[in-house]
PDB file of all heavy atoms in Angstrom:
ATOM      1  N   TYR A  91      50.830 -21.295 -24.131  1.00 93.00           N
ATOM      2  CA  TYR A  91      51.288 -21.771 -25.426  1.00 93.00           C
ATOM      3  C   TYR A  91      50.166 -22.031 -26.407  1.00 93.00           C
ATOM      4  O   TYR A  91      49.043 -22.341 -26.019  1.00 93.00           O
ATOM      5  CB  TYR A  91      52.066 -23.087 -25.263  1.00 93.00           C
ATOM      6  CG  TYR A  91      53.145 -22.966 -24.253  1.00 93.00           C
ATOM      7  CD1 TYR A  91      52.978 -23.427 -22.952  1.00 93.00           C
ATOM      8  CD2 TYR A  91      54.340 -22.342 -24.580  1.00 93.00           C
ATOM      9  CE1 TYR A  91      53.974 -23.275 -22.003  1.00 93.00           C
ATOM     10  CE2 TYR A  91      55.339 -22.184 -23.633  1.00 93.00           C
ATOM     11  CZ  TYR A  91      55.148 -22.653 -22.355  1.00 93.00           C
ATOM     12  OH  TYR A  91      56.133 -22.491 -21.424  1.00 93.00           O
ATOM     13  N   GLU A 120      47.560 -45.000 -12.950  1.00 97.00           N
ATOM     14  CA  GLU A 120      48.323 -44.006 -12.186  1.00 97.00           C
ATOM     15  C   GLU A 120      49.813 -44.233 -12.429  1.00 97.00           C
ATOM     16  O   GLU A 120      50.584 -43.298 -12.597  1.00 97.00           O
ATOM     17  CB  GLU A 120      47.980 -44.192 -10.708  1.00 97.00           C
ATOM     18  CG  GLU A 120      48.292 -43.022  -9.845  1.00 97.00           C
ATOM     19  CD  GLU A 120      47.182 -41.974  -9.832  1.00 97.00           C
ATOM     20  OE1 GLU A 120      46.099 -42.209  -9.252  1.00 97.00           O
ATOM     21  OE2 GLU A 120      47.429 -40.891 -10.390  1.00 97.00           O
ATOM     22  N   ARG A 124      52.668 -41.725 -13.962  1.00 97.00           N
ATOM     23  CA  ARG A 124      53.935 -41.426 -13.300  1.00 97.00           C
ATOM     24  C   ARG A 124      55.119 -41.698 -14.219  1.00 97.00           C
ATOM     25  O   ARG A 124      56.033 -40.888 -14.327  1.00 97.00           O
ATOM     26  CB  ARG A 124      54.083 -42.264 -12.017  1.00 97.00           C
ATOM     27  CG  ARG A 124      55.417 -42.056 -11.331  1.00 97.00           C
ATOM     28  CD  ARG A 124      55.494 -42.770 -10.000  1.00 97.00           C
ATOM     29  NE  ARG A 124      55.391 -44.214 -10.070  1.00 97.00           N
ATOM     30  CZ  ARG A 124      56.388 -45.030 -10.405  1.00 97.00           C
ATOM     31  NH1 ARG A 124      57.571 -44.528 -10.741  1.00 97.00           N
ATOM     32  NH2 ARG A 124      56.212 -46.341 -10.425  1.00 97.00           N
ATOM     33  N   ASN A 139      69.890 -28.726 -19.899  1.00 86.00           N
ATOM     34  CA  ASN A 139      71.333 -28.853 -19.870  1.00 86.00           C
ATOM     35  C   ASN A 139      71.986 -28.367 -21.142  1.00 86.00           C
ATOM     36  O   ASN A 139      72.979 -27.653 -21.123  1.00 86.00           O
ATOM     37  CB  ASN A 139      71.670 -30.329 -19.735  1.00 86.00           C
ATOM     38  CG  ASN A 139      72.351 -30.554 -18.447  1.00 86.00           C
ATOM     39  OD1 ASN A 139      72.901 -29.629 -17.883  1.00 86.00           O
ATOM     40  ND2 ASN A 139      72.317 -31.769 -17.975  1.00 86.00           N
ATOM     41  N   GLN A 142      71.537 -24.572 -21.377  1.00 84.00           N
ATOM     42  CA  GLN A 142      72.074 -23.731 -20.315  1.00 84.00           C
ATOM     43  C   GLN A 142      73.514 -23.297 -20.539  1.00 84.00           C
ATOM     44  O   GLN A 142      73.873 -22.169 -20.270  1.00 84.00           O
ATOM     45  CB  GLN A 142      71.967 -24.482 -18.990  1.00 84.00           C
ATOM     46  CG  GLN A 142      72.283 -23.641 -17.779  1.00 84.00           C
ATOM     47  CD  GLN A 142      71.825 -24.327 -16.507  1.00 84.00           C
ATOM     48  OE1 GLN A 142      71.262 -25.414 -16.562  1.00 84.00           O
ATOM     49  NE2 GLN A 142      72.051 -23.707 -15.379  1.00 84.00           N
ATOM     50  N   TYR A 172      63.561 -23.308 -30.916  1.00 95.00           N
ATOM     51  CA  TYR A 172      63.582 -24.382 -29.929  1.00 95.00           C
ATOM     52  C   TYR A 172      64.945 -24.488 -29.245  1.00 95.00           C
ATOM     53  O   TYR A 172      65.032 -24.765 -28.051  1.00 95.00           O
ATOM     54  CB  TYR A 172      63.251 -25.705 -30.626  1.00 95.00           C
ATOM     55  CG  TYR A 172      63.360 -26.931 -29.755  1.00 95.00           C
ATOM     56  CD1 TYR A 172      62.350 -27.263 -28.865  1.00 95.00           C
ATOM     57  CD2 TYR A 172      64.476 -27.760 -29.824  1.00 95.00           C
ATOM     58  CE1 TYR A 172      62.450 -28.388 -28.057  1.00 95.00           C
ATOM     59  CE2 TYR A 172      64.582 -28.889 -29.033  1.00 95.00           C
ATOM     60  CZ  TYR A 172      63.570 -29.201 -28.153  1.00 95.00           C
ATOM     61  OH  TYR A 172      63.680 -30.307 -27.356  1.00 95.00           O
TER      62      TYR A 172
ATOM     63  N   TYR B  91      75.592 -36.013 -12.289  1.00 93.00           N
ATOM     64  CA  TYR B  91      75.683 -34.914 -11.346  1.00 93.00           C
ATOM     65  C   TYR B  91      76.240 -35.321  -9.995  1.00 93.00           C
ATOM     66  O   TYR B  91      76.110 -36.470  -9.586  1.00 93.00           O
ATOM     67  CB  TYR B  91      74.295 -34.326 -11.107  1.00 93.00           C
ATOM     68  CG  TYR B  91      73.618 -33.953 -12.386  1.00 93.00           C
ATOM     69  CD1 TYR B  91      72.684 -34.811 -12.970  1.00 93.00           C
ATOM     70  CD2 TYR B  91      73.948 -32.778 -13.036  1.00 93.00           C
ATOM     71  CE1 TYR B  91      72.086 -34.483 -14.172  1.00 93.00           C
ATOM     72  CE2 TYR B  91      73.361 -32.440 -14.234  1.00 93.00           C
ATOM     73  CZ  TYR B  91      72.429 -33.304 -14.807  1.00 93.00           C
ATOM     74  OH  TYR B  91      71.849 -32.983 -16.001  1.00 93.00           O
ATOM     75  N   ASP B 114      53.995 -50.241  -5.529  1.00 97.00           N
ATOM     76  CA  ASP B 114      53.203 -51.452  -5.778  1.00 97.00           C
ATOM     77  C   ASP B 114      52.087 -51.607  -4.742  1.00 97.00           C
ATOM     78  O   ASP B 114      50.982 -52.013  -5.071  1.00 97.00           O
ATOM     79  CB  ASP B 114      54.098 -52.701  -5.690  1.00 97.00           C
ATOM     80  CG  ASP B 114      54.996 -52.838  -6.900  1.00 97.00           C
ATOM     81  OD1 ASP B 114      54.735 -52.155  -7.916  1.00 97.00           O
ATOM     82  OD2 ASP B 114      55.966 -53.618  -6.827  1.00 97.00           O
ATOM     83  N   GLU B 120      51.401 -44.240  -5.694  1.00 97.00           N
ATOM     84  CA  GLU B 120      51.665 -44.058  -7.123  1.00 97.00           C
ATOM     85  C   GLU B 120      51.182 -42.659  -7.538  1.00 97.00           C
ATOM     86  O   GLU B 120      51.854 -41.946  -8.282  1.00 97.00           O
ATOM     87  CB  GLU B 120      50.900 -45.128  -7.896  1.00 97.00           C
ATOM     88  CG  GLU B 120      51.388 -45.376  -9.288  1.00 97.00           C
ATOM     89  CD  GLU B 120      52.568 -46.338  -9.349  1.00 97.00           C
ATOM     90  OE1 GLU B 120      52.403 -47.548  -9.094  1.00 97.00           O
ATOM     91  OE2 GLU B 120      53.662 -45.859  -9.669  1.00 97.00           O
ATOM     92  N   ARG B 124      53.206 -39.498  -9.157  1.00 97.00           N
ATOM     93  CA  ARG B 124      52.796 -38.807 -10.382  1.00 97.00           C
ATOM     94  C   ARG B 124      52.672 -37.310 -10.145  1.00 97.00           C
ATOM     95  O   ARG B 124      53.157 -36.494 -10.926  1.00 97.00           O
ATOM     96  CB  ARG B 124      51.455 -39.358 -10.880  1.00 97.00           C
ATOM     97  CG  ARG B 124      50.931 -38.617 -12.090  1.00 97.00           C
ATOM     98  CD  ARG B 124      49.684 -39.257 -12.676  1.00 97.00           C
ATOM     99  NE  ARG B 124      48.528 -39.280 -11.792  1.00 97.00           N
ATOM    100  CZ  ARG B 124      47.725 -38.237 -11.595  1.00 97.00           C
ATOM    101  NH1 ARG B 124      47.955 -37.087 -12.190  1.00 97.00           N
ATOM    102  NH2 ARG B 124      46.701 -38.343 -10.782  1.00 97.00           N
ATOM    103  N   ASN B 139      62.108 -22.113 -20.094  1.00 86.00           N
ATOM    104  CA  ASN B 139      61.578 -20.918 -20.719  1.00 86.00           C
ATOM    105  C   ASN B 139      62.392 -19.692 -20.406  1.00 86.00           C
ATOM    106  O   ASN B 139      62.703 -18.880 -21.267  1.00 86.00           O
ATOM    107  CB  ASN B 139      60.180 -20.670 -20.163  1.00 86.00           C
ATOM    108  CG  ASN B 139      59.191 -20.793 -21.250  1.00 86.00           C
ATOM    109  OD1 ASN B 139      59.552 -20.655 -22.409  1.00 86.00           O
ATOM    110  ND2 ASN B 139      57.961 -21.056 -20.901  1.00 86.00           N
ATOM    111  N   GLN B 142      65.826 -20.008 -22.073  1.00 84.00           N
ATOM    112  CA  GLN B 142      65.911 -20.174 -23.519  1.00 84.00           C
ATOM    113  C   GLN B 142      66.004 -18.870 -24.283  1.00 84.00           C
ATOM    114  O   GLN B 142      66.731 -18.774 -25.259  1.00 84.00           O
ATOM    115  CB  GLN B 142      64.679 -20.949 -23.988  1.00 84.00           C
ATOM    116  CG  GLN B 142      64.743 -21.363 -25.442  1.00 84.00           C
ATOM    117  CD  GLN B 142      63.692 -22.401 -25.740  1.00 84.00           C
ATOM    118  OE1 GLN B 142      62.928 -22.787 -24.863  1.00 84.00           O
ATOM    119  NE2 GLN B 142      63.639 -22.854 -26.974  1.00 84.00           N
ATOM    120  N   TYR B 172      73.576 -21.587 -12.379  1.00 95.00           N
ATOM    121  CA  TYR B 172      72.199 -22.080 -12.501  1.00 95.00           C
ATOM    122  C   TYR B 172      71.424 -21.310 -13.552  1.00 95.00           C
ATOM    123  O   TYR B 172      70.613 -21.873 -14.290  1.00 95.00           O
ATOM    124  CB  TYR B 172      71.493 -21.955 -11.146  1.00 95.00           C
ATOM    125  CG  TYR B 172      70.031 -22.303 -11.145  1.00 95.00           C
ATOM    126  CD1 TYR B 172      69.600 -23.617 -11.127  1.00 95.00           C
ATOM    127  CD2 TYR B 172      69.053 -21.299 -11.161  1.00 95.00           C
ATOM    128  CE1 TYR B 172      68.259 -23.934 -11.117  1.00 95.00           C
ATOM    129  CE2 TYR B 172      67.703 -21.604 -11.152  1.00 95.00           C
ATOM    130  CZ  TYR B 172      67.311 -22.927 -11.134  1.00 95.00           C
ATOM    131  OH  TYR B 172      65.969 -23.234 -11.123  1.00 95.00           O
TER     132      TYR B 172
END
Side-chain angles (χ1 to χ4, degrees):
Chain A
Y91 308 99
E120 199 85 71
R124 177 174 63 80
N139 244 338
Q142 189 166 359
Y172 175 79
Chain B
Y91 307 98
D114 286 345
E120 199 84 70
R124 176 174 63 80
N139 244 338
Q142 188 166 1
Y172 175 79

